[in-house]
Each structure stands twice: as structure tokens, then as C-alpha cells.
Amino acid sequence: AKHADACSFVVCDAIRDSHLATIAAAGQQTGTSTYIGSAGLAGHIRLHDDETSNNRILGVVGSTNEQTIKQLSVLPDEYVIELDANRILEHPSTVGREAAQRASETIETNGVAILTSAPSSQAVATTIDRGHTLGLELGEIEERVETALTTAVTDCWAEIDPNGVFFTGGTTA
């Protein structure tokens, strides 16, 4: 922490939940506003919840890991913005723009929004099955989902300019 003012970014790894708590605490002490890691890390990040705070937190969850999906399910429903699994493959940019609009409105209202392309294992399976029905290979399915998420993040970022960001999920990060 002695050289925190000179740090552009810090890379950490964790084995235990207590390590995640330490990483989150260190980030808050040094003024970190962007975290990239597991959803377990998100549980240790403290948001300002007083009425004078101006949180504009954008979370992006692209992970299809079962543990991440479980952790996502405990967030308040009003924070979670799901990308439309039924339309994401045919119209990824449109789905992304629509999600960005909902996320921007949610951030304005609640101070935080979490964009996700994988709100449940069922949604992941639905997207993959739909892709195969459309004749898409897995890589093409992933690319279209990535396009939708990227569009959502880019458009939301331009609209609300978040002061805190959290990313989880391999390619997402």
C-alpha cells in the first residue's frame, strides 16, 4: 500500500474466502474502482449506502460457472439486468443496446446494475440449444453473446460513466 499512488493495477490471487476479503479491503483503502475476479470477490466489496453517496456501479457477469450463477442469484432482482436469451443470437447488438438502457436506468435509480448473459444454467442451455438450432457452432454462439455484452457495456458506460466496475467471467474480464 506504500506505493499505491503509483500503481496502475494490482493482480492478486486467492485460495480462501478470507483472501478475497483482504483483496477487497486493500482495494478500498487504495481507492480501487475496478475489480476483475470471481463473483465471490464481489461479496466483499462494500458500496457506500448513505444518501450522499453517488454510486454508479456497473457489474458485468459473463461467467457460466455454476458457483458464479449461484452467487448471482442472491443479488437483489432489481440490480440484475439479464440479456434476452431468446433474441441474443439473432440480434446481439439490439439486445445489448436494450440491456444498456435498462442498466443505465437501474444505476440511476439504485446506484448499481449487474449485466449478465448467464443468469441461470437454464438460460445458458437455452442459448446454446437455440444456437445449434440456428446452425451455429459453439464459437459463433459465444461470439454473439460477447457482442451483446460488449454493446451493453459500451452503451451503458457512455450513458452513465460508472465510478465503479466489476467484471467476472474469463473473456468478459
Side-chain angles (χ1 to χ4, degrees):
K2 189 182 233 183
H3 301 286
D5 291 338
C7 291
S8 296
F9 61 91
V10 177
V11 178
C12 304
D13 196 8
I15 297 172
R16 296 183 178 81
D17 195 57
S18 62
H19 298 159
L20 295 173
T22 300
I23 292 167
Q28 289 174 306
Q29 287 176 2
T30 60
T32 297
S33 62
T34 304
Y35 295 87
I36 299 173
S38 72
L41 177 59
H44 293 284
I45 298 170
R46 303 290 170 242
L47 301 177
H48 301 287
D49 57 6
D50 61 46
E51 292 188 19
T52 62
S53 71
N54 189 21
N55 287 330
R56 291 183 321 278
I57 311 298
L58 177 61
V60 184
V61 178
S63 175
T64 59
N65 179 285
E66 202 56 45
Q67 185 63 31
T68 302
I69 291 171
K70 284 180 191 174
Q71 292 166 338
L72 185 63
S73 72
V74 300
L75 291 172
D77 289 341
E78 63 268 18
Y79 290 3
V80 180
I81 308 300
E82 300 175 9
L83 278 72
D84 186 343
N86 293 315
R87 296 176 44 239
I88 198 168
L89 298 177
E90 289 101 331
H91 308 287
S93 295
T94 300
V95 167
R97 284 191 296 275
E98 293 167 355
Q101 182 61 42
R102 292 192 319 271
S104 295
E105 292 167 1
T106 299
I107 291 170
E108 289 294 326
T109 303
N110 299 312
V112 62
I114 310 297
L115 287 163
T116 183
S117 59
S120 68
S121 297
Q122 182 60 41
V124 173
T126 297
T127 301
I128 292 170
D129 290 346
R130 181 131 178 84
H132 290 150
T133 300
L134 294 170
L136 301 174
E137 297 292 327
L138 185 58
E140 294 170 302
I141 295 167
E142 291 170 343
E143 188 175 290
R144 291 181 188 197
V145 170
E146 181 181 328
T147 295
L149 266 177
T150 300
T151 300
V153 171
T154 302
D155 287 9
C156 184
W157 196 290
E159 178 74 24
I160 57 103
D161 190 26
N163 58 11
V165 185
F166 183 88
F167 294 96
T168 184
T171 303
T172 304

